[in-house]
Amino acid sequence: MKQFYAILANSLVASLTNNLVWFAVTFWVYLETKSVVATSLMAGVYSGTVALSGFFLGSLVDRYKKKHSMIFSSLGSLVLYALSFIIFITTPEKIFKDPASPILWVFIVLSLVGAIAGNIRSIALSTLVTVLIPEDGRDKANGMVGTTNGVSFLVSSIFSGLIIGFLGIFWMLIIAIGLTALVLIHVWVLAIPEKGIAHAEEHTKRVDIRGTIRAINLVPGLFALIFFNTFNNFLGGVFMSLMDAYGLSLVTVQTWGVLWGVLSLGFIIGGLIVSKKGLGKQPLRTLFLANIAMWTICVFFTIQASVILLAVGMFIYLCLIPVVEAAEQTILQKLISPERQGRVFGFAQSIEQAASPITAFMIGPIAQLIFIPFMTTGAGVELIGSWFGTGKDRGLALLFTVTGLIGLIITIIAMKSKAYDTLLENYQKQAEPQVVDE
């Protein structure tokens, strides 16, 4: 546990830094360009790169020692943040106010890919839970990981808004470069025991998608779980793309950043509950019940133009995210053999995240051309405007409500499916010595 806590602490600072860059660049681009489409495309670039990189990053984690993977992660982030800084200080400020500027998008891509390099750590950390923690304690360890993610989300949310509001993007990049360098030095000298990990060398020398699919197919119902989470991410891309624009229509950037920081306590609380109580004997059922609660909240948390209603709904929503993530990780850690876990986690990440860029690229224009006009000058003003409200922000709010309804219906249908029953039965029967082999 001593090594595990040290790894968690290192990952906390790395995750905090990468989240800081992601939030801050998003806030800054919206304030500079005032373009909903720009922030939507940013979300698409981010999630699209995550989706495409998961296959490769998972194989990287399986091929090399986890410590080397984490060093590579920090080194990649450091180089990309430094390049972003050079572009920023050598480019006239007016260039960044044009959402169509190629230089602006080069800056955005370098910054976001630097943050995405941290995903190597998240895959490595999930596999290290299997290595360092006994099976009966993995759900609680996954809860600790969720708490760590929550702390980084909280701190980065608060400081990203404050830094952009009071210091600007220049100092944000300086801070990101400094923290990343410290994380790199710490992980370099950190001892990470990896005894007991089986490496299938003939497979880890390439991106072994076919073998990974075969391993997943050996667990009936597991693909259905991955595709269910994929659909959830497809809908979740709506919130990823437009939530900042909606929030910034209600409050200032400083207030929005601080509010996100406070709401991120939900990540911490949810993770702490899992780390203390676990997920129960049926983590799959826990995952689906949490999803039902999350989508129900999404139906109502923007039904009126109230930052209080938004905050309460988002807080409960964020409390449930660590539950869902820990449940999926616990299921995969039990049912997939250790030598393939890096690739399976990476594969799941790629498949599940692949839906988000599709949504992100589509949803900005859909919001701008359909929902916003519908609630400003269209039929929505007469139909529901008297109680729902009118204007640009209410167009976004209506889109959130419709998304929540779709997610709730799909979750209930999935929970009644044969695949759900099959995977639930398989998990209950599976014992630790019987993990899936190649």
Side-chain angles (χ1 to χ4, degrees):
M1 292 303 296
K2 207 171 183 180
Q3 288 91 347
F4 182 65
Y5 290 144
I7 294 167
L8 275 182
N10 184 273
S11 297
L12 169 61
V13 179
S15 177
L16 186 156
T17 305
N18 294 328
N19 283 335
L20 175 69
V21 172
W22 162 248
F23 281 123
V25 171
T26 301
F27 293 164
W28 177 74
V29 169
Y30 181 76
L31 292 172
E32 290 290 314
T33 66
K34 302 296 183 184
S35 172
V36 172
V37 173
T39 56
S40 175
L41 290 175
M42 283 180 64
V45 170
Y46 179 85
S47 53
T49 308
V50 169
L52 292 174
S53 65
F55 299 115
F56 169 73
L57 298 183
S59 296
L60 193 69
V61 169
D62 279 343
R63 181 177 181 183
Y64 298 105
K65 288 187 175 181
K66 308 304 179 274
K67 176 176 177 176
H68 295 164
S69 298
M70 296 172 81
I71 289 173
F72 177 79
S73 172
S74 293
L75 187 60
S77 295
L78 183 62
V79 170
L80 291 167
Y81 293 157
L83 290 174
S84 300
F85 179 74
I86 293 171
I87 289 176
F88 179 77
I89 62 176
T90 57
T91 303
E93 184 178 351
K94 64 180 181 180
I95 298 295
F96 293 121
K97 295 186 180 296
D98 178 10
S101 168
I103 295 179
L104 171 64
W105 284 100
V106 170
F107 173 83
I108 289 172
V109 170
L110 287 175
S111 300
L112 298 189
V113 173
I116 289 167
N119 286 347
I120 299 175
R121 286 175 166 276
S122 64
I123 297 173
L125 189 57
S126 294
T127 62
L128 282 172
V129 169
T130 306
V131 175
L132 299 175
I133 307 298
E135 183 190 354
D136 59 359
R138 287 176 192 163
D139 57 348
K140 297 180 180 179
N142 289 326
M144 294 180 194
V145 173
T147 300
T148 300
N149 292 335
V151 172
S152 80
F153 198 81
L154 182 152
V155 176
S156 60
S157 296
I158 293 176
F159 283 97
S160 59
L162 293 176
I163 289 173
I164 294 300
F166 294 112
L167 298 178
I169 198 75
F170 175 89
W171 285 106
M172 185 282 296
L173 291 169
I174 291 292
I175 292 170
I177 291 170
L179 288 176
T180 304
L182 290 175
V183 165
L184 178 59
I185 293 171
H186 179 254
V187 74
W188 200 292
V189 300
L190 186 63
I192 302 179
E194 297 188 52
K195 291 181 180 179
I197 294 183
H199 292 287
E201 293 298 335
E202 68 276 13
H203 296 294
T204 56
K205 292 181 180 179
R206 64 182 188 273
V207 180
D208 184 26
I209 298 177
R210 183 177 297 178
T212 301
I213 292 174
R214 186 167 60 249
I216 296 173
N217 272 330
L218 289 175
V219 184
L222 193 56
F223 251 124
L225 174 63
I226 293 175
F227 285 126
F228 171 74
N229 287 329
T230 299
F231 185 81
N232 276 353
N233 281 345
F234 177 78
L235 297 178
V238 175
F239 301 95
M240 181 181 182
S241 303
L242 302 176
M243 183 55 70
D244 285 332
Y246 180 73
L248 291 171
S249 73
L250 299 176
V251 294
T252 65
V253 64
Q254 292 93 332
T255 302
W256 184 239
V258 172
L259 179 60
W260 261 114
V262 175
L263 293 179
S264 299
L265 286 170
F267 272 130
I268 299 172
I269 292 172
L272 286 175
I273 291 174
V274 175
S275 68
K276 294 295 182 182
K277 302 293 185 180
L279 297 166
K281 294 182 179 180
Q282 298 181 358
L284 180 64
R285 178 177 172 81
T286 302
L287 183 150
F288 273 82
L289 291 176
N291 270 289
I292 288 175
M294 290 167 71
W295 289 121
T296 302
I297 290 166
C298 292
V299 173
F300 296 104
F301 73 157
T302 59
I303 204 163
Q304 290 293 305
S306 167
V307 70
I308 295 176
L309 182 62
L310 176 66
V312 172
M314 284 300 299
F315 180 78
I316 301 173
Y317 184 97
L318 294 176
C319 282
L320 294 170
I321 287 179
V323 178
V324 173
E325 292 179 346
E328 183 181 15
Q329 289 171 357
T330 301
I331 292 168
L332 293 178
Q333 286 161 353
K334 183 169 185 177
L335 299 180
I336 299 296
S337 58
E339 68 270 16
R340 282 213 177 269
Q341 283 188 12
R343 278 160 288 173
V344 171
F345 276 114
F347 178 87
Q349 180 188 82
S350 286
I351 295 299
E352 291 169 13
Q353 291 295 328
S356 293
I358 297 174
T359 312
F361 286 124
M362 291 172 51
I363 208 63
I366 289 173
Q368 194 83 47
L369 300 175
I370 299 176
F371 280 84
I372 290 175
F374 183 74
M375 294 308 300
T376 52
T377 59
V381 175
E382 295 293 330
L383 290 174
I384 60 174
S386 60
W387 62 271
F388 192 80
T390 61
K392 179 179 178 179
D393 61 317
R394 302 316 297 154
L396 298 179
L398 180 61
L399 184 53
F400 293 153
T401 297
V402 171
T403 301
L405 284 171
I406 296 172
L408 181 60
I409 292 170
I410 294 300
T411 301
I412 294 173
I413 292 173
M415 198 173 183
K416 299 293 184 180
S417 69
K418 183 179 179 181
Y420 171 85
D421 292 333
T422 301
L423 186 58
L424 182 61
E425 181 182 357
N426 187 65
Y427 182 88
Q428 291 172 328
K429 289 182 178 179
Q430 191 79 12
E432 176 68 16
Q434 297 174 316
V435 290
V436 175
D437 200 35
E438 294 182 25

